[in-house]
Amino acid sequence: FSATIHGANDTELRLLTVEASVPTEGAIAMANYQAAPRLYRVKFLAQGQVAWGLRNYDAAPLIEECEISVTATGTSSTTAYGLVFRAYPTTSRRSSILRSKVSVSGPGQNYGVWLAEALHLTSIRDSRFDVIGGSGTYGLYATGVPDQWIGTETLTIRDTEVISTGGSTA
């Protein structure tokens, strides 16, 4: 799948709307591959059978006052991801989500934040995650091979609401 925007190091996106709508396929609003952009007051909208608001691979974006809205379309075999972080960032940079809102829904699996293979976030603060509907809903979800998690990372969650409701697994 291709993304509407691909991030780059030492860049900033601010005060705009990024939309990806491919109802019968996969849709990615923004993809970051080995990139650490600053995202400030950006609205990300994604809609598709598999949909991602922000898809990050070996990346560490700083997310401030953003709104991420993702909707999976179709049957119960669909998946919606607000934010995906995969592969341990090779730089010393880590991500933060500050004063942001993430809304994820669809008939299948729904994830607010999906972390794979490592802890990429250091802070989630003053934010809200609404993950609703589907067969499975996960506000914050982490997975990966245990020895890939270094173990020295910490994630601080402050003044944040995580709502996961409507799925048979929540």
Side-chain angles (χ1 to χ4, degrees), residues 51-56 63 67-70 79-85 97 100-106 108-115 121 124 127-133 136-142 160-165 169-170:
W52 295 266
L54 289 170
R55 188 172 180 184
N56 303 288
I63 303 158
E67 183 179 330
I68 301 166
S69 180
V70 181
T79 308
Y81 301 94
L83 299 105
V84 169
F85 292 91
I97 301 170
S100 296
K101 182 176 182 190
V102 178
S103 302
V104 181
S105 64
Q109 300 294 313
N110 301 305
Y111 300 88
V113 175
W114 191 76
L115 300 167
L121 292 169
I124 301 174
S127 296
R128 180 177 173 112
F129 295 82
D130 291 303
V131 186
I132 351 173
T137 62
Y138 306 89
L140 303 172
Y141 183 84
T160 294
E161 289 185 60
V162 179
I163 297 162
S164 174
T165 184
T169 303

Side-chain angles (χ1 to χ4, degrees), residues 20-156:
S21 181
V22 189
T24 59
E25 295 179 24
I28 306 168
M30 182 173 190
N32 294 302
Y33 179 75
Q34 295 181 332
R38 179 177 184 235
L39 309 173
Y40 180 71
R41 291 191 177 176
V42 179
K43 186 175 187 176
F44 296 96
L45 305 170
Q47 180 180 5
Q49 284 187 349
V50 179
W52 295 266
L54 289 170
R55 188 172 180 184
N56 303 288
Y57 183 86
D58 186 9
L62 173 58
I63 303 158
E64 295 182 83
E65 298 183 25
C66 291
E67 183 179 330
I68 301 166
S69 180
V70 181
T71 305
T73 57
T75 66
S76 61
S77 62
T78 62
T79 308
Y81 301 94
L83 299 105
V84 169
F85 292 91
R86 186 172 193 118
Y88 194 79
T90 53
T91 67
S92 61
R93 296 179 182 180
R94 295 294 179 267
S95 288
S96 293
I97 301 170
L98 309 171
R99 301 172 306 282
S100 296
K101 182 176 182 190
V102 178
S103 302
V104 181
S105 64
Q109 300 294 313
N110 301 305
Y111 300 88
V113 175
W114 191 76
L115 300 167
E117 302 164 7
L119 180 60
H120 307 79
L121 292 169
T122 57
S123 178
I124 301 174
R125 199 171 63 224
D126 301 313
S127 296
R128 180 177 173 112
F129 295 82
D130 291 303
V131 186
I132 351 173
S135 56
T137 62
Y138 306 89
L140 303 172
Y141 183 84
T143 185
V145 180
D147 61 353
Q148 291 176 325
W149 291 78
I150 303 303
T152 58
E153 300 91 352
T154 60
L155 170 60
T156 303

